[in-house]
Amino acid sequence: MARAAEPEGRRRGGSVIAYFTSAKFLLYLGHALSTWGDRMWHFAVSVFLVELYGNSLLLTAVYGLVVAGSVLLLGALIGDWVDKNSRLKVAQTSLIVQNSSVILCGVILMIIFLFKTQLLTLYHGWLLTLCYILVITIANIANLASTATAITIQRDWIVVVAGEDRSKLADMNATIRRIDQLTNILAPMAVGQIMTFGSPMIGCGFISGWNLMSMCVEYLLLWKVYQKTPTLAHKSAKVEASELKPLNVKKESDMKPAEGVQLIIEKDVAGFEPQPEKEVGCAARIAEPFITFRDGWVAYYNQPVFLAGMGLAFLYMTVLGFDCITTGYAYTQGLSGSVLSLLMGASAVTGIMGTVAFTWLRRKCGLIRTGLISGVAQFACLILCVVSVFMPGSPMDLTVSPFADISARLFENEPLPTIASPESEMIFATGMPNLLNGSIAPADSDPEMSPEPVPLISVSLLFAGVIAARVGLWSFDLTVTQLLQENVIESERGIINGVQNSMNYLLDLLHFIMVILAPNPEAFGLLVLISVSFVAMGHIMYFRFAQKSLGKQLFVCHTPDPKTAPDSSPPGNTSTV
């Protein structure tokens, strides 16, 4: 018996070792390191800019606008660069550029913190202004490189590693999202503690050191994944050679002469000789980025999953998420820091539940129906947010103009808001308000008078809806992500996903503009109603896509083959997947 158990134990030990050395696990590990560094930096850079500019939000707002505008304009160009170059070159280049930019930014910020007084006196402060511009520019380059990394790893490498097994692809997508959920909560908390108990300069040094170490480890992990997955060396534009046999297959007669035969192989592959390129005129070189931009958006519009991608983008036009806007509103409604931290933790848990629900629903009902069920679940939960607008404790007052605060600042010359109080600084240092009680007095109230507590039923329903809706939200996000992975041909994955990122940033930018135009708490209820309307429009677009794809079989739920999932086929496709 003991001898029989010994080989069994060896087999189990061997399978565990095989998993931890597999390309799939190494991809997870590399993504975890990359995401952890990204979340720390995105959180900390806003804090640094607030700290440097006299506790004003101006630099942070400029940085956010530059980042959103850059991805909006350059998303298609980044995706096109991903498509036209070998996978290893793209991954290594974007990794080095991203981490080197963060390290350089950290060093510049440390110099500014150390010598800010001296820099203010040099050239009437213009040298310090130049440093601010340099920090924002380099940080923007880091974000663009991060976008390229996300496209090549999460939209391309993961598809190749999964091979033709769509269930494996779904599981890998879900695991990637779980890593994202955990790092979204833990990374800002970790760097916030370092900055709170240390100093901003120590935070800069820590982030720079982390990115230096992470860059070396990630570089090694990428090389290992590349070695363990030989198909990554072949990047073919030929439709039939795609790993998952994409469904928007063009007819051979519709292909251009060179299309379907182009093959990008790594330089070390024997027999590959690059063809000499024809000389291109100066005007053509100048026009090339604009042509690529146009072609990328046209190609995105012509995708069979266009409506699904647009539906996902519309979900970004919302104030119903755990960002600075929603937590700031909770601050005005009297929620304590401890309660907010618990709510953020609960949102992470429901987000992870959404990834679990996605894999289960996909096995039971197929990919497209999973998106429908997820959309209905998300919208049903957001009804609680709509109800909260009209409940006791809601500050919504439709008699107050939503633009009253903007008008006052424009015509009465009121100063821009600053973050001057210790409690407000703690919000940026730790990621949540440092409040000790459950109610807040208005800013102009008499401190000797005890404030009347704000009823919590409205804000409770609001956050209950937001937290519950994240199950459907992340399941829907994974559905659209996999639809794009399965239905976009290999030669267009980069540019299509680049345009998708641009659409996401466009709607996200619009939601920030909406808040800027109506920043007072009395208008937040109106923003909630607008947000739910955009979510509804997004899911209507997805329903239209599903209706065109499945026709009369839309509401016939069946258990598909786990590897083929035939109901993910878009309209007009006759191939068996």
Side-chain angles (χ1 to χ4, degrees), residues 164-485:
E164 295 188 7
D165 190 340
R166 299 195 174 199
S167 289
K168 183 179 179 180
L169 178 61
D171 291 337
M172 291 183 70
N173 284 328
T175 303
I176 291 292
R177 284 295 182 274
R178 289 166 196 152
I179 294 171
D180 290 341
Q181 291 292 315
L182 291 174
T183 53
N184 274 336
I185 298 297
L186 299 178
M189 289 176 61
V191 74
Q193 295 302 314
I194 292 171
M195 294 165 60
T196 302
F197 295 104
S199 67
M201 192 177 70
I202 292 175
C204 289
F206 176 79
I207 292 175
S208 295
W210 173 273
N211 277 271
L212 180 60
M213 178 202 70
S214 177
M215 178 174 62
C216 299
V217 177
E218 288 178 59
Y219 195 94
L220 178 63
L221 290 173
L222 284 174
W223 177 246
K224 283 291 185 183
V225 173
Y226 185 79
Q227 284 185 319
K228 290 177 176 292
T229 314
T231 49
L232 285 171
H234 301 271
K235 196 172 186 180
S236 174
K238 188 176 181 180
V239 174
E240 291 82 5
S242 175
E243 294 82 6
L244 285 176
K245 301 176 184 177
L247 306 176
N248 54 338
V249 180
K250 298 181 181 180
K251 295 180 181 179
E252 293 181 5
S253 58
D254 295 333
M255 289 184 179
K256 297 177 182 179
E259 191 175 3
V261 297
Q262 182 184 2
L263 185 65
I264 301 174
I265 309 178
E266 303 301 330
K267 291 182 179 180
D268 57 353
V269 177
F272 175 71
E273 296 181 1
Q275 297 295 326
E277 297 182 357
K278 297 181 180 179
E279 291 186 5
V280 181
C282 182
R285 289 185 182 276
I286 295 174
E288 185 179 359
F290 299 98
I291 295 173
T292 302
F293 179 85
R294 181 203 63 192
D295 292 346
W297 284 87
V298 171
Y300 177 75
Y301 175 77
N302 290 327
Q303 292 297 314
V305 291
F306 164 71
L307 286 175
M310 284 293 293
L312 177 63
F314 265 59
L315 303 191
Y316 283 76
M317 177 64 176
T318 178
V319 296
L320 301 175
F322 272 89
D323 55 8
C324 55
I325 294 170
T326 311
T327 52
Y329 173 75
Y331 174 86
T332 67
Q333 294 302 293
L335 293 187
S336 67
S338 59
V339 171
L340 276 174
S341 63
L342 290 174
L343 292 176
M344 292 176 71
S347 72
V349 172
T350 53
I352 294 173
M353 290 171 59
T355 64
V356 176
F358 164 74
T359 55
W360 184 82
L361 284 172
R362 184 194 165 278
R363 284 195 298 267
K364 295 295 182 180
C365 300
L367 187 60
I368 292 179
R369 295 184 188 86
T370 297
L372 284 174
I373 297 170
S374 302
V376 170
Q378 182 190 9
F379 186 77
C381 293
L382 291 181
I383 296 298
L384 292 175
C385 301
V386 175
V387 173
S388 73
V389 171
F390 305 99
M391 296 301 290
S394 172
M396 187 177 83
D397 186 357
L398 295 180
T399 62
V400 177
S401 170
F403 311 109
D405 191 67
I406 292 292
S407 301
R409 297 193 188 283
L410 289 176
F411 299 109
E412 297 178 15
N413 295 322
E414 292 188 14
L416 288 172
T418 59
I419 306 173
S421 67
E423 285 185 351
S424 299
E425 291 181 2
M426 187 63 70
I427 294 175
F428 283 90
T430 61
M432 60 190 70
N434 187 26
L435 305 176
L436 299 178
N437 50 49
S439 62
I440 307 174
D444 56 352
S445 63
D446 188 348
E448 295 182 0
M449 298 177 60
S450 58
E452 184 177 342
V454 178
L456 295 179
I457 182 170
S458 174
V459 72
S460 299
L461 282 174
L462 175 71
F463 278 93
V466 170
I467 292 171
R470 293 178 76 83
V471 177
L473 169 65
W474 287 109
S475 179
F476 182 79
D477 175 84
L478 284 167
T479 299
V480 177
T481 296
Q482 187 152 342
L483 282 170
L484 287 168
Q485 290 171 333

